[in-house]
Amino acid sequence: MDEGGGGDVPAAPLHLREAERLASLRSYQVLDTAADAALDALTAAAARALDAPAAVICLLDRDRLWFKSVVGLSALVGYEHHQVPRELSFAGHVVPGQVLVVPDATADPRFAGLPMVTGPEHLRAYAGAPVVGRDGLLLGALGVLDRSPREFDADAVQLLLDLAPTVAEVLELRRTDAAAGLSGREVLTESRRLRAGIEAGELVVHYQPVVDLTTGRRVGVEALVRWDHPDRGLLPPDAFMPLAEASGLVVPLGRRVLVQACAQVARWRREVPGAGDLRVAVNVSGRQLSEPDVHEVVAEALTLSGLPPQALLVELTETCLAGPGVEVDITLQRIRSLGVHLSLDDFGTGYASFAYLQRFQPDTVKIDRCFVAALGRSERDDLLTRSLVELALRLGCDVVAEGVERREQAVALTRLGVRHAQGLLFSAARSGGDLYEPVPPALT
């Protein structure tokens, strides 16, 4: 298809949350892939049902349109990966929730100068339904086209609306979502419900204190997200985070947790006696680290809240550090350059723990609860925990022990040189409004 000759074509407006939309689209990894028989069948079905000479399924990238399936356009047949500039398309104007109907493109200033209208295809009419992905964001459109002006009645519009979700389901089936344990159709349904929950403020942050083992004083908190589900009650992360990871919703969810946690801790530092140096640890997933602007998100959260950078610990797990090395290194360097501290979570549980300790030089390491639970069980278990603690301390890291549930564990950790801990012995994770109650007495 000729990409020239568009003239002064009015640009399509960017969608709300354009950066998230693009991240969602690219996570499917289907932009430049081979022809798909299922998509071709849907395209042909749309053309046949609406008695249209042409139909397309396209995906809307940052500044171009990818044709994934084409029926009836000779200039595109055999070139399903063909691209056109985003502004030279009908689909660039499709928005979620409604079908774009163009009865006569030559009478519409948005489309009159398009090459597919003025060129050899001589297209005049278009109707396109949005293809919406698992997180409620636009992926592209299923459209039918005609070379004569025509009206698309309510039945035609409804048929396109009925077919478009099936396109999304096919795209879902091309992905592997074993982590979520859901089929393509289930991922779509559940992800949209999670997106709605995020937008409705149902995702809330609870805080578990980190205490000084020698004084009992709270020195920090870990921010932990919960879903206050209207039907299922308060859900722990295990009930929805695999879905958030698989769907890409962990990015907007993580951003909200970060902003909310920074604001809450900044408020406590200002208003609560004795909390002037409180710190907050916020978990960051591998999916968040892959976003090119993650350091800008962190900087913005600090600026909006007024929280000093050194009061924020970005908490990392081996899973999130397992991405491409150079990209992760650069991202963490940018975050650290803000003055933010890095914390290595679940230390000692993975095969690469020691390599990551050397590579990323975290300010804090968190001894996993499995080592805390094993204290006193055998000399071998005690030796292993002692070795982990001594190594971290010798490398200049602060050490935080997780999962402390009994006083004897706290005493044993103190003897090993661990100064900070969190767990049910001190407090469960609580909402911001419930957290500040009398702290436990000193343990020595």
Side-chain angles (χ1 to χ4, degrees):
M1 177 180 290
D2 179 15
E3 296 184 6
D8 296 326
V9 179
L14 294 179
H15 293 272
L16 295 175
R17 302 188 184 87
E18 178 69 0
E20 288 181 35
R21 190 194 71 77
L22 290 170
S24 175
L25 170 66
R26 289 167 186 170
S27 73
Y28 283 78
Q29 300 181 344
V30 293
L31 290 178
D32 191 13
T33 53
D36 190 300
L39 293 179
D40 289 343
L42 287 169
T43 310
R48 185 167 56 252
L50 272 67
D51 193 24
V56 296
I57 292 173
C58 54
L59 301 177
L60 189 63
D61 204 351
R62 182 188 302 276
D63 51 17
R64 55 186 170 175
L65 201 72
W66 295 79
F67 290 95
K68 297 302 300 177
S69 179
V70 178
V71 168
L73 294 178
S74 58
L76 289 180
V77 170
Y79 297 91
E80 285 81 0
H81 307 157
H82 190 85
Q83 313 157 35
V84 297
R86 178 171 173 166
E87 67 272 16
L88 300 184
S89 69
F90 292 101
H93 293 261
V94 172
V95 297
Q98 63 188 67
V99 173
L100 172 66
V101 175
V102 183
D104 187 351
T106 62
D108 191 319
R110 296 174 296 174
F111 309 115
L114 297 186
M116 61 183 69
V117 174
T118 61
E121 293 292 350
H122 295 298
L123 298 175
R124 296 287 296 274
Y126 173 85
V131 175
V132 176
R134 58 174 59 185
D135 51 6
L137 298 174
L138 185 74
L139 301 178
L142 167 65
V144 294
L145 306 105
D146 207 320
R147 294 185 177 84
S148 301
R150 65 177 283 186
E151 298 288 343
F152 293 92
D153 60 22
D155 289 341
V157 167
Q158 188 58 52
L159 189 143
L160 284 174
L161 286 173
D162 291 341
L163 282 176
T166 307
V167 175
E169 290 169 14
V170 170
L171 295 177
E172 289 295 339
L173 291 172
R174 300 303 178 258
R175 296 182 55 157
T176 301
D177 288 311
L182 298 171
S183 69
R185 185 183 295 272
E186 289 172 325
V187 168
L188 281 172
T189 302
E190 294 301 314
S191 295
R192 289 168 184 169
R193 178 63 191 89
L194 180 55
R195 162 69 73 176
I198 295 173
E199 296 298 325
E202 295 171 5
L203 279 294
V204 297
V205 182
H206 284 198
Y207 303 87
Q208 185 170 44
V210 176
V211 306
D212 186 315
L213 285 173
T214 60
T215 66
R217 188 174 73 89
R218 289 175 180 157
V219 296
V221 293
E222 180 180 1
L224 301 165
V225 67
R226 304 286 189 264
W227 187 355
D228 192 4
H229 198 287
D231 301 321
R232 300 167 60 192
L234 194 66
L235 301 180
D238 290 349
F240 60 89
M241 285 306 292
L243 175 64
E245 288 278 3
S247 66
L249 283 173
V250 71
V251 174
L253 175 57
R255 182 181 294 114
R256 290 189 179 222
V257 170
L258 177 65
V259 170
Q260 186 174 334
C262 287
Q264 177 65 81
V265 173
R267 187 178 307 116
W268 281 331
R269 287 168 65 102
R270 293 191 304 267
E271 300 175 359
V272 175
D277 58 355
L278 197 70
R279 301 192 301 171
V280 59
V282 180
N283 291 278
V284 174
S285 73
R287 182 71 178 77
Q288 289 173 272
L289 282 181
S290 70
E291 292 297 300
D293 65 341
V294 63
H295 65 289
E296 297 174 3
V297 171
V298 173
E300 182 181 22
L302 294 170
T303 300
L304 290 174
S305 65
L307 186 72
Q310 65 271 18
L312 174 63
L313 284 79
V314 169
E315 203 155 278
L316 313 162
T317 64
E318 279 199 23
T319 301
C320 78
L321 294 174
V326 174
E327 289 80 1
V328 171
D329 289 351
I330 292 173
T331 296
L332 294 181
Q333 287 171 10
R334 288 172 174 169
I335 292 174
R336 179 167 258 158
S337 70
L338 300 172
V340 172
H341 290 188
L342 301 182
S343 174
L344 183 59
D345 199 8
D346 301 332
F347 180 59
T349 59
Y351 74 93
S353 289
F354 295 101
Y356 289 142
L357 189 63
Q358 178 185 38
R359 175 178 163 193
F360 298 109
Q361 301 179 18
D363 304 282
T364 299
V365 296
K366 300 187 78 171
I367 302 298
D368 188 76
R369 64 184 62 246
C370 69
F371 298 105
V372 174
L375 279 171
R377 191 167 58 191
S378 70
E379 289 187 13
R380 182 186 181 91
D381 288 324
D382 288 353
L383 176 61
L384 180 56
T385 303
R386 183 183 307 115
S387 300
L388 292 173
V389 171
E390 289 179 353
L391 175 62
L393 291 174
R394 288 187 179 185
L395 291 175
C397 300
D398 182 26
V399 177
V400 177
E402 295 184 288
V404 180
E405 298 183 356
R406 303 191 308 275
R407 183 180 179 85
E408 54 266 32
Q409 291 173 337
V411 172
L413 288 164
T414 302
R415 290 172 179 165
L416 291 178
V418 176
R419 185 173 179 182
H420 299 136
Q422 64 187 93
L424 295 180
L425 176 64
F426 313 107
S427 174
R430 300 181 181 178
S431 66
D434 294 337
L435 181 62
Y436 267 90
E437 297 177 357
V439 297
L443 296 169
T444 59

